[in-house]
């Protein structure tokens, strides 16, 4: 029984939110509190007990993710008429933050899957939406987001994968790198060049696994995010129906960036969850570990450090939630805020997790202790979905354009 | 076939919270402390919803007694699949002294008013561990009871209940209408789904006062004092078995 199991595990992150511990700065609606509760319960019961095993054995936890999808986590901000839950970006952030306390790597993949489902729901024709979204929302099928190439990471608009129109098909040639889920997923949302150079020549098409000409590179060996496979995705004269295109020709880059605005909030939310769990782990460790005749929690240095960690976590959370609000309200500052939230939260939370590891002393370095997995898993959040350097580019451009 | 099921849900301090006694020893600290639905009540709700899904009951009504905050607990029941809720308003000193006797009177009155033919409750609440409300409710209504249920099956106008007792498992058959109390192994409660949480928003919760039900909330009990359990004392090491036997005799243990 889930609560009885949690009783034995004794360390559910949601239970430590009594006043005085980590102030959650909540002004959540009743529904949001319910969403959060379900997500925390699911994380504690279905994910946390397996997170180490999934990491060490590189298991892509399909059944667990499908269980999550049954609760509505497969298409959180996808419209209900195609199987989604129709919730807001803020609801989504709250949910991913809570899920991430159970397994950050798996939650991050679920967020990428959600981003792809949203892109199809928002920019796909009704036929495409009806064909793909229900299966994606139930996680009968899994999705991958394909933008990055060996030659174009931060400089995403210089991508080379070509899509030549031949009759009623685009023929794709090229390769994508570092694709989360690549090789195991079923539906690939691919940004490719249908026109001239630069962003305006890029379109977005949906490619299904099994399409002739679609193949995959070897599974990458990573420092973290091991519960999701990462592979190159290779297109060799891969023919895709024109009707699989999202939006119009030349709109692809725009669609990709719109997807990433939400993706950045989601990834930042995953970082928040990891940091939250890590602060609790550190707190518990220093309350128990004794040196020099007393518990580490009597050390003013560690007390101050813990206070700083909690403060920065709450500050990060507030920025991420504000960005989510701005995005769902379609405010003009939304893109900047999403970039700021991603930049700030992923940096701060990595630092928090890292300090939590330090507070564990030598034990923090052992894989028997969860804190090292949170550190390894969120390190990449400062890199993908736009490096934190690119986030600075976006924010600076916005600031300098106004002046 | 039971048309309407009443399920009692109690808002209690969350099981994982470390309980602290108030400095004046009149009770435990509840302000700012995380609360949730009593785990056995979750199991009761789950069983009721399953009966509805099997089309063995028509309507599941969740009931909670207490101040405004218990509406959260009722909403959780609605999100799990209950059809509507009843909030019996009890607050202040009345709420502090609310116990199984008062709640069972309320439930009995509601069962008559709502023409319920089945009441499912958790076997006990994890705050007071009384394990009385189900039994008292059945007595007040003069209904049969199937307590500590680990399995419930509808058989015509009767219920087969498998009970967890000290000696093992006991199977009984009781007539409807009846009261059942849920034990741990009756089922594993479902997670509320996001769509069901949204749907729960639209489900109705009606407010009722105990006076409207003709129930007198006066308590026959007075809590004199609440203390923490004694701190665990350090043990004593002994050298020989004879020493051990001697010490045990001294302590009056053997």
């Amino acid at each position: 029984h889930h609560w009885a199991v949690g009783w034995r595990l004794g360390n559910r992150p949601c239970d430590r939110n009594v006043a005085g511990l980590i102030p959650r700065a909540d002004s959540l609606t009743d529904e949001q509190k319910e969403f959060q509760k379900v997500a925390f319960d699911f994380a504690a019961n279905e994910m946390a007990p397996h997170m180490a095993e999934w990491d060490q054995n590189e298991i892509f936890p399909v059944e667990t993710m499908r269980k999550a999808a049954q609760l509505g986590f497969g298409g959180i901000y996808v419209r209900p008429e195609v199987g989604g839950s129709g919730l807001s970006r803020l609801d989504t952030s709250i949910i991913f933050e809570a899920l991430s306390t159970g397994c950050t790597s798996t939650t991050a993949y679920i967020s990428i899957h959600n981003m792809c489902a949203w892109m199809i729901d928002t920019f796909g024709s009704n036929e495409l939406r009806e064909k793909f979204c229900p299966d994606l929302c139930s996680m009968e099928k899994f999705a991958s987001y394909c933008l990055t190439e060996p030659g174009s990471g931060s400089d995403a608009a210089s991508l080379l994968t070509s899509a030549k129109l031949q009759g009623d098909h685009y023929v794709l040639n090229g390769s994508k790198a570092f694709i989360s889920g690549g090789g195991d997923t079923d539906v690939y949302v691919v940004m490719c060049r249908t026109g001239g150079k630069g962003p305006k020549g890029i379109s977005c098409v949906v490619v299904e696994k099994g399409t002739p000409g679609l193949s995959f590179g070897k599974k990458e060996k990573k420092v973290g995010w091991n519960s999701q496979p990462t592979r190159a995705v290779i297109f060799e004269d891969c023919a895709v129906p024109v009707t699989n295109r999202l939006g119009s020709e030349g709109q692809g880059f725009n669609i990709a960036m719109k997807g990433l605005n939400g993706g950045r909030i989601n990834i930042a939310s995953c970082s928040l969850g990891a940091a939250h769990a890590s602060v609790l782990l550190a707190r518990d460790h220093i309350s128990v570990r004794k040196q020099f005749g007393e518990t580490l929690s009597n050390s003013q240095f560690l007390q101050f450090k813990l206070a700083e960690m909690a403060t920065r976590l709450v500050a990060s959370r507030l920025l991420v939630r504000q960005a989510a609000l701005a995005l769902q309200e379609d405010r003009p500052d939304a893109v900047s805020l999403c970039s700021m939230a991603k930049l700030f939260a992923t940096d701060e939370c990595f630092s928090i997790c890292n300090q939590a590891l330090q507070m564990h002393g030598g034990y923090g370095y052992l894989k028997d202790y969860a804190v090292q997995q949170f550190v390894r898993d969120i390190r990449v959040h400062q890199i993908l979905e736009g490096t934190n350097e690119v986030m600075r580019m976006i924010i600076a451009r916005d600031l300098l354009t106004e002046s | 076939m039971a048309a309407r099921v009443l399920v009692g849900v109690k808002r209690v301090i969350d099981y994982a919270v470390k309980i602290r006694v108030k400095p004046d020893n009149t009770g435990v600290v509840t302000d700012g402390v995380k609360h949730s639905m009593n785990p056995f009540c979750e199991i009761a709700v789950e069983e009721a919803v399953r009966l509805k899904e099997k089309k063995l009951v028509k309507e599941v009504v969740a009931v909670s007694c207490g101040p405004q905050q218990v509406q959260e607990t009722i909403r959780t029941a609605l999100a799990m699949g209950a059809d509507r809720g009843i909030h019996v308003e009890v607050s202040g000193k009345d709420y502090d002294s609310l116990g199984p006797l008062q709640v069972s009177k309320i439930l009995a009155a509601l069962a008559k008013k709502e023409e319920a033919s089945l009441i499912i409750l958790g076997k006990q609440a994890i705050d007071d561990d009384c394990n009385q409300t189900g039994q008292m409710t059945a007595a007040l209504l003069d209904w049969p009871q199937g307590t500590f249920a680990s399995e419930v099956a509808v058989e015509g106008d009767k219920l087969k209940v498998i009970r967890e007792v000290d000696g093992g498992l006991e199977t009984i058959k009781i007539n409807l209408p009846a009261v059942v109390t849920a034990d741990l192994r009756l089922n594993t409660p479902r997670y509320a789904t996001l769509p069901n949480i949204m749907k729960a928003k639209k489900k109705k919760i009606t407010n009722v006062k105990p006076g409207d039900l003709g129930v007198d909330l006066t308590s026959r009990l007075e809590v004199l004092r609440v203390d923490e359990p004694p701190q665990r004392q350090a043990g004593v090491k002994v050298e020989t078995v004879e020493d051990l036997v001697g010490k045990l005799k001294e302590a009056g243990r053997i």
Side-chain angles (χ1 to χ4, degrees), chain A residues 55-69:
Chain A
D55 170 64
Q56 293 189 36
N57 299 336
E58 295 186 16
I59 295 171
F60 189 45
V62 169
E63 284 323 307
T64 303
M65 289 193 288
R66 284 189 173 141
K67 266 193 199 170

Side-chain angles (χ1 to χ4, degrees), chain A residues 1 3 12 31 34 46 71, chain B residues 76 184 187 191 194 201:
Chain A
H1 292 267
W3 63 271
R12 300 192 328 171
E31 287 77 45
E34 284 290 329
E46 310 290 336
L71 303 185
Chain B
T76 303
L184 185 63
N187 60 51
Y191 295 106
L194 299 183
K201 249 193 338 196

Side-chain angles (χ1 to χ4, degrees), chain A residues 41-96:
Chain A
D41 285 348
F42 190 87
N45 301 319
E46 310 290 336
M47 297 170 88
H50 307 291
M51 97 180 212
E53 189 203 347
W54 292 340
D55 170 64
Q56 293 189 36
N57 299 336
E58 295 186 16
I59 295 171
F60 189 45
V62 169
E63 284 323 307
T64 303
M65 289 193 288
R66 284 189 173 141
K67 266 193 199 170
Q70 273 169 26
L71 303 185
F73 295 150
I76 300 175
Y77 48 109
V78 169
R79 287 174 282 178
E81 64 258 28
V82 287
S85 301
L87 299 186
S88 71
R89 299 310 183 121
L90 178 55
D91 299 333
T92 305
S93 170
I94 289 162
I95 289 167
F96 283 144

